[in-house]
Amino acid sequence: MPLFLRNAWYVAAWDHEVTRELRAVRIIGDSIVLYRTEAGEPVALEDACPHRKLPLSMGRIAGDEVECGYHGMVFDRAGSCTRIPGVKRVPPSVCVRAYPTVSLYGLVWIWMGDPAHARAEKIVGVDHWTDPAWGRNQGGSMTVDCNYLYVTDNLLDPSHVAWVHRTSFGNEDRVDEPVQTEVSASGVVAARWLHDVEVAPFYAPLVAFAGRCDRLQHYEVRFPSHAIIRALFVPAGSGGHGRPIHEKALMMDSYNFITPIDADHSRYFWFQMRNFSAGDQQISKIMDDAVRDAFAEDRVILNAVHRGFANQATPNIDLAIDRAPLQFRRALNGLIATERAVA
Ligand SMILES: [Fe+2]
């Protein structure tokens, strides 16, 4: 069973992580070397010299090219070999694979499939990115020792916040409220309104109204593995499907981009957009720190779930809350199977 969708954009690194130093990363099982040209453009090449397979990341940058650290073979940003010391004419077939890259939202995105199909406009859109009324929490990244599908399960599961994040995102108010799911060509949405609940601890000091709230939990994962978690808090009694958004609404859109490293490890990149305190760096910092702590709670669970399934001795069961995660897995499997059939 193929594990990963190849014709897709993934996040390779934060922009600031791609520099004039060679950086080795693994993405859906491929070893890749990242660096930046003198003009500042990100480059991603297969991290293996075709001669003796030494990682190019163990060599050095020469202008816009990479020189292998074993015998000095040189490759340009398109992956073509431009020099083999001791060889007069470089055969044109000598090359490494080059991956299309795009800088967007402070991140370097990489296209892992057929370069002919790489179109930057297919990268996940971030609403309010340039909206002066919205602020941004800078975000971060972490490595999780689990298969990426356990992360997408988690990001399509609004119920877990009541148990995993009881000091931040969640509380036990209305945990029985059913989740509505929707499958589309771009991914799966799991959502529910919680009416007349207490504002969860993370949001309580941030909301612009007093008392209880109506809360929308919108959990969405787009193919291959990019989550948009929208939180909406309005005064109790004013929220609900199709109703206009209250003027004192607190909105936070959390963008979570999951890059599979291999079948057992994933890299998790995130930042949030918020509809209040746009330029307030202190609020950004407070929220960033709280989110980092909450995601560390997820990491503990996800690492252990991966080990739990790896060492599974008895059957596991699925619950109603697993509907969206299972729909997502099924749809993604379909896309991967189609991609394989075409290839
Ligand atoms: Fe979580």
Side-chain angles (χ1 to χ4, degrees):
M1 193 61 200
L3 285 166
F4 309 113
L5 193 65
R6 222 163 227 293
N7 284 292
W9 289 101
Y10 292 93
V11 173
W14 284 102
D15 253 335
H16 64 79
E17 293 174 325
V18 181
T19 65
R20 294 287 291 161
E21 303 272 319
L22 297 171
R23 180 184 181 89
V25 294
R26 288 192 81 214
I27 299 172
I28 65 169
D30 289 11
S31 294
I32 293 166
V33 58
L34 302 173
Y35 66 96
R36 219 172 262 284
T37 64
E38 287 174 325
E41 283 171 69
V43 180
L45 300 177
E46 175 186 355
D47 194 13
C49 178
H51 174 223
R52 285 295 175 264
K53 297 294 176 184
L54 186 79
L56 292 177
S57 55
M58 292 175 68
R60 61 178 182 176
I61 294 178
D64 285 349
E65 302 184 320
V66 183
E67 180 189 271
C68 179
Y70 202 176
H71 300 96
M73 286 175 64
V74 176
F75 300 87
D76 67 16
R77 54 183 299 185
S80 301
C81 183
T82 58
R83 176 172 138 84
I84 306 176
V87 175
K88 277 212 180 70
R89 257 193 71 257
V90 178
S93 61
V94 179
C95 64
V96 293
R97 187 169 173 190
Y99 299 78
T101 57
V102 170
S103 270
L104 190 60
Y105 311 129
L107 298 159
V108 174
W109 297 78
I110 186 167
W111 178 262
M112 296 302 293
D114 180 351
H117 297 140
R119 298 212 311 277
E121 61 271 20
K122 292 182 84 177
I123 293 174
V124 172
V126 173
D127 296 342
H128 305 290
W129 179 256
T130 56
D131 184 342
W134 282 60
R136 176 158 51 99
N137 307 334
Q138 183 53 51
S141 63
M142 65 180 180
T143 298
V144 192
D145 296 330
C146 78
N147 185 276
Y148 73 108
L149 294 173
Y150 295 129
V151 188
T152 59
D153 286 353
N154 175 272
L155 294 169
L156 281 169
D157 169 19
S159 65
H160 85 275
V161 298
W163 318 104
V164 179
H165 309 301
R166 59 173 74 233
T167 60
S168 55
F169 298 153
N171 50 37
E172 288 182 37
D173 254 0
R174 311 238 182 255
V175 287
D176 297 330
E177 194 66 29
V179 173
Q180 275 83 47
T181 71
E182 193 186 317
V183 184
S184 72
S186 62
V188 172
V189 175
R192 64 180 176 183
W193 271 99
L194 302 177
H195 291 284
D196 191 18
V197 294
E198 210 179 298
V199 180
F202 173 82
Y203 304 98
L206 304 170
V207 294
F209 56 88
R212 293 167 74 79
C213 70
D214 292 341
R215 172 183 189 177
L216 172 68
Q217 292 180 297
H218 172 106
Y219 281 50
E220 176 176 359
V221 179
R222 299 199 188 156
F223 306 118
S225 45
H226 303 318
I228 302 168
I229 313 290
R230 298 184 199 275
L232 171 58
F233 292 83
V234 294
S238 68
H241 189 69
R243 295 183 68 177
I245 294 173
H246 192 277
E247 56 175 11
K248 289 198 169 160
L250 179 148
M251 288 187 266
M252 188 177 94
D253 295 343
S254 191
Y255 290 85
N256 305 259
F257 304 120
I258 312 307
T259 303
I261 295 171
D262 55 29
D264 302 318
H265 304 87
S266 306
R267 189 99 192 131
Y268 190 135
F269 298 86
W270 72 84
F271 61 80
Q272 287 92 31
M273 304 296 298
R274 62 176 195 264
N275 77 331
F276 58 95
S277 307
D280 191 328
Q281 293 309 311
Q282 204 182 338
I283 288 284
S284 298
K285 168 100 173 65
I286 290 167
M287 294 183 78
D288 257 337
D289 290 347
V291 168
R292 186 169 286 106
D293 289 349
F295 288 179
E297 293 173 333
D298 284 312
R299 183 172 53 189
V300 170
I301 299 285
L302 293 168
N303 289 356
V305 164
H306 183 95
R307 287 195 303 274
F309 273 107
N311 300 316
Q312 183 169 5
T314 52
N316 68 288
I317 59 162
D318 295 320
L319 303 174
I321 54 171
D322 300 308
R323 187 177 152 89
L326 293 174
Q327 285 173 326
F328 180 81
R329 283 170 176 254
R330 200 174 309 125
L332 181 62
N333 274 338
L335 293 177
I336 293 171
T338 304
E339 184 178 88
R340 287 292 165 117
V342 171

